[in-house]
């Protein structure tokens, strides 16, 4: 070994089994080495050439590389605004939430009993939104403000009473990025966007909805009530785009007639991150609770009658509703919503209001100075943003001085500039602004100065105790720790969720996210200010193209579901460009992820389901039949590889050729990319487009249900149609360029977390990436071998091998013991584990994916738990325990039950709580099994008012 070689390569830290473990696992699997397994399990025809070689970096080397690039980013004081604002993340929140694996490694809280901490926090996020907006229902976050606005538009379109209504009205001053995303989402659904001037409304005959941005895109605030009343009188429903801090001072949209309110929670303590991640919010009326996109956290009760949080109304989830889904927003921004919640808990309503007043006063000071030096104030009243009009020449001079002084101000038009104040603005900072605006021109004698906002907020907000009692750092730290302790995350045990790839999120890849050069750059800063980011984007794109063997990439999509939508829209844009816009049919296998048909429906496609055969592969005969029927209108085949059943389908290339011969395109869902990297690739398989879940294969943390990123990769003929952005080119509403416009608010989506995947790739190097894939297959086949005698493995490939995941059939136990798959999932909690994926893609099954980063000891511990549960089922089958009172039906068993004075079950407390001696420490679910049906019948999705709290004490 060279003395300059890292003593312990990152791959050895990342992969769980040691060389000695591999030797012990080999006879169980039936292969001598992971490479031998690959030779047997992965069809030879789909094998790729090795990834072009590049060496791994050590942790110090990747940090030096990223630090050098971060220093190339020019972080200056930003007054750009437009929904993105500098703010302070309190250190207690950064350290005990953002940087704590209890929060950032957790999965989406589908299993409520082991997710009470993040469920409670997200419940409070919804409360914040409902209180500020005075609308009764909110979701637990969406991807960004533009996405949330688009979701509001499509909700109103779906629920319109008159199908002739096809117009959505948007204000002329709307933020450009929101307008551009709306244009993309409107086009395939036949929605027409029409601009309106609040002073001269157009005909409302065909309008189903209207957007009111208040304060508007130039910062002006005026009473929205008369405008909303005019829309409502004409039968047009109103969406309000609002600022959460402004709502501490201004009337709430629920009070002046809005049916929906949307916006961004970024300024509530979330770093800019060159565009994200940060959470959006969406609130509406009870009328549309079952149409609401995203997720709702509700309060129900558990088996013991105690209050318990859960994800409510889960039948709306896209995995169930498929093409009938109301949204394909599979990934929210849970971690960022929770940070925003703790920020509001930290400041309380009084602190938020003081902050808003201070920001407003700063804006008034800037406006006063601007008028005093001869600038014309364009906005009579405003909250945080001031707009000035002057000559184009003077605008040029101001912009040049701003660049020299190191501040960013917005050029709204040739003769108009805007400046947005924020939490970080100080009197010293304003002195620089004054110099930039100048002091050499005398004011006009008729100049109009600023008017402070006179309309006050009518209703109190955040009166619940949680927003008042955690004022010291000690108390807030303990509160966050208590919540985190209620959850099971990767720092507790493996999370073996099939298709979700819950691998380690290496700490070395996360550290740079808090660096100023990464965290504090505004997404609409000049490109010359982001040279470091651009270098990372370029290098990451190159590596992703080499890994996928495709020709172009867009890093913009903010989630895998958004990547699906973007990829389909790229295909549609290309087909329109070549005169084949009539191609609308999407062929989707029955086993596909539910986001696939949901995305296709949103892209305006007609969905045709293709059957799967007994092996879980695409049924070739049914595919040929469907292609023949729809040959002239076939747009795309959407396929997941390996299949959603965890099998390498040897016919995949033939399927792709069949589609191409019929004139269609192939979209590959990248959810299972963890079984591809270095062994095969979308390019080798025949795909034209694929998305990559960077929060799965490439180690971005799930964060309890977001952040995520879903870049799309495409072949050369589709590159011109990749998503654009108005910050980078002309507005897509007016642009003749072929690209399809943006799908996300920021040009590169949640740009900061792209560094995580970049660091992960560089730490592994080309050989390490391939070895990680080999070990993912190795671990899965080891677990399959250990469990196959006790449980039926539903699908295997040639030779009986599986890919990186496999499916166990639990359905027979319903007949033999009255036990269903949910009982087994809940019982695993008593053993200290998160359940695998339940009843997807096959009802009554568990889909297990161990990932490469779990050790043999942890794999064995999980297998031992499932084998022990099988023995417990036998005791029910033999009649030792009844089918209604047994450890599985009653699982999980919380501490409060196991330490109660009475115990009425036919099994012991020890068996209930400590079913195996192998647990190094006991994880206690904090609640018993949650009653989902009760929660749906009695939906509670926000904190009770203070008056109700008083009656409870």
């Amino acid at each position: 070994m060279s003395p300059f070689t890292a003593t312990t390569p990152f791959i050895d830290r990342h992969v769980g089994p040691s060389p000695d473990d591999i030797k012990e696992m080999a006879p169980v699997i039936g292969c001598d080495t992971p490479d031998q397994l690959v030779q047997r399990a992965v069809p030879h025809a789909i094998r790729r050439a090795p990834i072009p070689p590049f060496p791994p970096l050590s942790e110090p080397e990747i940090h030096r590389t990223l630090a050098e690039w971060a220093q190339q980013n020019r972080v200056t004081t930003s007054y750009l605004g437009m929904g993105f604002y500098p703010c302070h993340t309190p250190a207690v929140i950064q350290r005990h939430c953002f940087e704590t694996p209890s929060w950032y490694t957790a999965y989406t809280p589908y299993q409520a009993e082991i997710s009470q901490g993040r469920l409670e926090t997200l419940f409070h996020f919804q409360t914040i939104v409902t209180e500020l907006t005075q609308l009764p229902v909110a979701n637990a976050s969406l991807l960004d403000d533009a996405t949330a606005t688009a979701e509001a538009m499509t909700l109103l379109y779906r629920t319109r009473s008159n199908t002739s209504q096809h117009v959505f009205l948007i204000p002329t001053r709307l933020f450009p990025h929101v307008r551009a995303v709306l244009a993309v989402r409107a086009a395939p659904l036949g929605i027409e966007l029409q601009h309106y001037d609040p002073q001269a409304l157009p005909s409302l005959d065909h309008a189903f909805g209207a957007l009111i941005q208040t304060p508007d895109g130039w910062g002006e605030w005026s009473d929205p009530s008369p405008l909303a009343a005019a829309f409502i009188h004409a039968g047009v429903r109103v969406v309000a785009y609002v600022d959460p801090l402004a709502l501490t001072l201004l009337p709430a949209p629920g009070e002046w007639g809005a049916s929906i309110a949307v916006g961004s929670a970024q300024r509530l303590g979330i770093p800019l991150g060159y565009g994200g991640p940060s959470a959006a919010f969406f609130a509406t009326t009870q009328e549309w609770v079952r149409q609401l996109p995203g997720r709702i956290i509700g309060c129900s009760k558990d088996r013991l009658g105690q209050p318990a949080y859960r994800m409510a109304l889960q039948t709306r989830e896209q995995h169930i509703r498929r093409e009938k889904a109301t949204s394909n927003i599979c990934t929210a921004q849970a971690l960022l919503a929770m940070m925003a919640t703790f920020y509001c808990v930290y400041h309380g309503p009084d602190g938020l209001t003081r902050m808003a007043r201070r920001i407003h006063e700063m804006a008034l000071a800037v406006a006063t100075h601007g008028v005093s030096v001869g600038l014309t104030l364009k906005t009579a009243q405003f909250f945080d943003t001031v707009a000035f009009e002057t000559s184009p020449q003077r605008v040029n001079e101001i912009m040049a001085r701003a660049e020299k002084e190191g501040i960013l101000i917005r050029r709204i038009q040739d003769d108009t500039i805007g400046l947005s104040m924020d939490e970080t603005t100080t009197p010293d900072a304003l002195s620089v602004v004054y110099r930039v605006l100048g002091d050499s021109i005398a004011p006009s004698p008729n100049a109009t100065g600023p008017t402070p906002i006179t309309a006050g907020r009518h209703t109190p907000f955040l009166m619940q105790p949680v927003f008042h009692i955690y004022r010291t750092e000690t108390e807030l730290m303990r509160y966050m720790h208590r919540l985190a302790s209620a959850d099971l995350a990767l720092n507790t045990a493996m999370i073996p969720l099939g298709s979700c790839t819950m691998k380690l999120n290496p700490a070395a890849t996360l550290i740079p996210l808090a660096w100023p050069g990464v965290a504090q750059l505004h997404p609409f800063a000049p490109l010359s200010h982001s040279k470091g980011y651009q270098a990372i984007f370029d290098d990451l794109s190159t590596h992703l193209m080499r890994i996928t063997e495709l020709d172009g990439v867009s890093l913009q999509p903010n989630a895998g579901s958004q990547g699906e939508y973007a990829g389909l829209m790229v295909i549609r844009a290309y087909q329109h460009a070549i005169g084949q816009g009539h191609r609308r049919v999407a062929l989707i296998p029955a086993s596909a992820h539910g986001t696939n048909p949901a995305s296709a429906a949103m892209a305006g496609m007609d969905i045709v389901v293709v059957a799967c055969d007994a092996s879980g592969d695409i049924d070739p005969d049914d595919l040929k039949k469907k292609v023949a029927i729809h040959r002239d209108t076939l747009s795309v085949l959407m396929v997941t590889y390996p299949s959603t059943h965890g099998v390498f389908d040897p016919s995949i290339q033939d399927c792709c050729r069949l589609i191409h011969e019929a004139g269609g395109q192939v979209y590959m869902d990248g959810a299972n990319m963890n079984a591809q990297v270095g062994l095969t690739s979308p390019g080798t398989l025949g795909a034209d487009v694929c998305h990559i879940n960077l929060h799965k294969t490439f180690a971005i943390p799930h964060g309890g249900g977001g952040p995520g990123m879903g870049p799309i990769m495409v072949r050369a003929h589709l590159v011109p149609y990749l998503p654009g952005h108005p910050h980078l080119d002309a507005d897509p509403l007016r642009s003749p360029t072929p690209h399809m416009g943006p799908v996300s608010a920021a040009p590169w989506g949640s740009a900061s977390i792209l560094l995580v995947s970049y660091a992960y790739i560089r730490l592994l190097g080309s050989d390490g990436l391939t070895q990680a894939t080999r070990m993912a297959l190795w671990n899965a086949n080891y677990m399959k071998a250990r469990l196959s005698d006790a449980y039926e493995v539903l699908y295997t490939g040639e030779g009986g091998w599986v890919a990186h995941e496999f499916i166990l059939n639990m359905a027979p136990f319903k007949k033999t013991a009255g036990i269903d798959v949910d009982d087994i999932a809940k019982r695993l909690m008593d053993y200290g584990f998160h359940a695998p994926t339940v009843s997807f893609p096959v009802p009554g099954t568990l889909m297990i994916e161990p990932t490469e980063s779990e050790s043999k000891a942890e794999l064995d511990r999980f297998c031992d738990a499932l084998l022990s549960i099988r023995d417990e089922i036998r005791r029910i089958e033999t009649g030792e325990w009844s089918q209604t009172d047994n450890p599985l039906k009653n699982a999980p068993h919380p501490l409060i039950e196991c330490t109660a004075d009475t115990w009425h079950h036919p099994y012991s407390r020890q068996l209930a709580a400590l079913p195996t001696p192998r647990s190094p420490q006991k994880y206690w679910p904090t609640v018993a099994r949650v009653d989902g049906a009760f929660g749906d019948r009695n939906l509670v999705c926000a904190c009770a008012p203070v008056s109700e709290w008083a009656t409870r004490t």
Side-chain angles (χ1 to χ4, degrees), residues 184 188 328 560-576 583-588 595-605 607 635-639 665-668 689-691 712-714 718 721 723 740 743:
V184 172
N328 77 338
S561 54
Q562 199 172 72
E564 290 177 20
Y565 177 76
L568 293 175
M569 290 297 290
V570 165
I571 289 172
R572 295 212 67 190
Y574 163 74
Q575 290 172 337
H576 276 284
R583 292 186 175 272
R584 300 173 55 91
V585 171
L587 299 181
I588 302 179
T595 52
N596 289 179
S599 296
M602 291 175 63
M605 292 182 164
I607 297 155
S635 174
V636 63
L637 168 70
M638 299 188 77
V639 61
Q665 302 284 294
V666 176
Y667 182 97
M668 183 164 289
V689 186
C690 79
H691 82 264
I712 55 173
M713 321 295 300
V714 300
L718 298 175
Y721 307 94
M740 51 163 274
V743 294

Side-chain angles (χ1 to χ4, degrees), residues 107 110 317-325 327-328 330-331 497-501 560-562 564-565 568 586-601 607-610 612 616 618 638-647 667-674 676 691-693 695-697 702 804-805 807 837-842 847 849:
Y107 183 61
Y110 290 109
E317 286 295 318
Q318 65 282 346
H319 278 149
I320 298 171
R321 298 198 66 177
R322 298 175 66 81
E323 68 273 12
K324 296 182 177 65
S327 168
N328 77 338
C330 187
T331 303
L497 287 153
S499 189
C500 295
T501 316
S561 54
Q562 199 172 72
E564 290 177 20
Y565 177 76
L568 293 175
L587 299 181
I588 302 179
S591 65
H593 292 99
T595 52
N596 289 179
S599 296
I607 297 155
V608 175
V609 177
V610 179
C612 293
I618 295 174
M638 299 188 77
V639 61
T640 301
Y641 201 83
S643 74
T644 311
H645 295 128
V647 176
Y667 182 97
M668 183 164 289
D669 185 315
N672 292 343
M673 189 68 68
N674 212 45
Q676 285 195 37
H691 82 264
I692 300 178
N693 297 93
H695 51 289
K696 296 182 181 183
T697 306
H702 282 68
H804 63 312
E805 63 191 11
I807 296 175
T837 302
V838 175
S839 290
F840 176 80
V842 182
M847 182 163 59
E849 180 181 358

Side-chain angles (χ1 to χ4, degrees), residues 527-569:
L527 293 182
S528 60
H529 288 212
S530 61
K531 292 180 179 178
Y533 262 118
Q534 301 306 319
I536 294 170
F537 297 157
D538 289 345
D539 210 21
L540 175 60
S541 297
T542 297
H543 285 297
L544 292 178
M545 286 188 284
R546 290 171 177 169
I547 288 167
T548 60
E549 296 189 289
L550 292 172
D551 306 307
V553 57
S554 170
L555 299 175
Q556 188 180 113
N558 253 326
S561 54
Q562 199 172 72
E564 290 177 20
Y565 177 76
L568 293 175
M569 290 297 290

Side-chain angles (χ1 to χ4, degrees), residues 712-769:
I712 55 173
M713 321 295 300
V714 300
R715 292 198 185 274
H717 65 284
L718 298 175
V719 170
Y721 307 94
L722 287 170
H725 196 279
H727 177 59
L728 305 178
D729 51 26
D731 189 318
L733 282 176
R734 298 185 297 272
S735 172
T737 55
H739 71 63
M740 51 163 274
V743 294
S744 297
W748 289 278
S750 297
S752 64
I753 55 174
L754 292 173
L755 274 68
V756 176
S757 295
Y758 178 75
Y760 174 81
I761 290 169
R762 294 304 311 274
L763 284 165
L764 283 172
S766 52
D767 291 342
L769 286 168

Side-chain angles (χ1 to χ4, degrees), residues 143-410:
L143 297 175
D144 57 39
D145 61 329
T147 299
T149 309
E151 291 290 338
M153 174 184 71
T154 54
L155 186 155
L156 293 184
Y157 184 67
R158 287 193 308 272
T159 59
R160 70 197 191 281
S161 58
N162 185 341
T163 56
S164 68
Q165 296 174 320
H166 62 280
V167 172
F168 188 67
L169 300 166
I170 59 176
T172 54
R173 289 182 175 181
L174 181 62
F175 287 151
H177 66 278
V178 177
R179 182 171 67 243
V181 170
L182 284 173
V184 172
R185 291 286 294 273
L189 301 178
I191 297 173
E192 179 185 346
L193 296 182
Q194 283 188 10
H195 294 90
Y196 74 86
D197 182 339
Q199 306 304 318
L201 289 181
S203 169
L204 305 179
D205 291 344
H206 298 289
F208 63 87
L211 179 67
I212 297 177
Q213 182 178 0
T214 178
D216 70 18
W218 289 20
E220 184 164 22
W221 183 86
S222 58
D223 182 4
S225 300
L227 180 60
F231 286 136
I232 294 169
H233 180 73
V236 178
R237 295 171 293 182
V238 174
V239 177
Y241 180 104
V242 291
D243 181 299
L245 271 185
L247 290 180
T248 66
L249 304 180
L250 300 174
E255 297 174 339
W256 48 258
S259 298
I260 300 173
V262 298
S264 172
Q266 178 272 318
R267 73 186 312 169
L268 302 179
I270 312 300
L272 288 166
Y274 201 40
S278 58
F281 59 82
F282 188 116
T284 187
T285 64
Q286 289 283 355
E287 175 186 0
W288 293 317
V289 66
R290 292 186 178 273
Q291 295 285 335
L292 193 66
R295 298 161 179 156
I296 302 173
I297 310 305
C299 188
S300 183
K301 65 178 182 178
D302 72 0
R303 176 172 56 85
L304 304 177
Q306 300 299 308
Y309 299 101
R310 62 182 284 271
M311 286 179 60
L313 302 174
Q314 290 192 30
T315 54
R316 298 174 306 102
E317 286 295 318
Q318 65 282 346
H319 278 149
I320 298 171
R321 298 198 66 177
R322 298 175 66 81
E323 68 273 12
K324 296 182 177 65
T326 58
S327 168
N328 77 338
I329 302 304
C330 187
T331 303
Q333 297 284 22
L335 179 64
L336 297 312
M338 291 184 287
M339 288 179 64
T341 299
F342 292 135
Y343 181 88
C344 292
V345 169
Y346 179 87
H347 287 287
D350 294 340
L352 294 174
T353 303
R354 285 194 302 270
M355 186 186 302
R357 285 181 180 142
R358 181 177 175 277
I359 289 170
H360 180 52
E361 289 166 1
M362 295 282 186
L364 288 171
V366 170
T368 300
H369 176 81
V371 171
S372 74
V373 298
L375 302 177
T376 300
L377 193 60
K378 291 288 289 182
T379 49
Q381 290 191 83
F382 45 82
F383 165 57
D384 63 351
T385 299
V386 185
F388 296 114
E389 183 180 39
T390 187
S391 68
Q393 179 181 351
R394 191 175 182 193
V395 168
N396 291 337
E397 294 169 353
I398 291 172
M399 298 298 289
R401 285 197 295 270
E403 178 73 12
K404 184 177 180 180
E405 291 280 1
I407 68 173
L408 293 174
I409 61 178
R410 178 184 173 197

